[in-house]
Amino acid sequence: MAETRRQTRHEVSIPAKLTVDGTQTDCEMLNLSLGGTQVKVNAKYAMGQRVRISFHVPTMEDAIEVGGTVRWSTVDGVGVQFDGLRARDVWALNEYFKQLPL
């Protein structure tokens, strides 16, 4: 399968809340980019499933909350493509990424 990501992925370990059909589930973000995330969660979701994810990064006081679409789901986790981040979220994530080891 060809790599189609447009954004650099960063390995992370961030607690998050994944909401699917009104049900909120705790999960852990394993990698993160401006375009999406891989989360570790004890559930499998259908490709195309609409979700909402909420998480904190140290460069912003408020939680980042963004809608997304499940792009893949396996025993290793769920890949979520973000709908689009607000400008302040993009700024906070870029500042956070600068703090991560290369």
Side-chain angles (χ1 to χ4, degrees):
M1 185 162 69
E3 180 69 42
T4 59
R5 286 182 183 86
R6 294 186 188 114
Q7 305 290 333
T8 301
R9 284 187 294 171
H10 302 272
E11 289 187 27
V12 296
S13 177
I14 300 174
K17 304 275 187 195
L18 187 69
T19 304
V20 180
D21 293 330
T23 302
Q24 192 175 75
T25 304
D26 291 329
C27 63
E28 177 187 4
M29 299 172 85
L30 301 177
N31 68 46
L32 176 63
S33 75
L34 295 178
T37 185
Q38 176 186 355
V39 296
K40 181 179 177 183
V41 63
N42 293 327
K44 194 170 177 185
Y45 300 106
M47 190 168 148
Q49 175 76 50
R50 299 289 305 147
V51 301
R52 185 144 197 87
I53 193 161
S54 174
F55 61 98
H56 284 90
V57 292
T59 53
M60 191 163 90
E61 191 172 317
D62 297 330
I64 294 174
E65 295 184 30
V66 62
T69 303
V70 172
R71 292 298 176 208
W72 57 266
S73 184
T74 69
V75 295
D76 296 323
V78 175
V80 176
Q81 179 181 8
F82 296 150
D83 291 340
L85 295 163
R86 295 175 290 191
R88 69 182 189 146
D89 298 338
V90 171
W91 177 87
L93 286 174
N94 279 324
E95 291 300 305
Y96 173 62
F97 295 154
K98 290 177 189 176
Q99 298 174 8
L100 297 175
L102 297 175

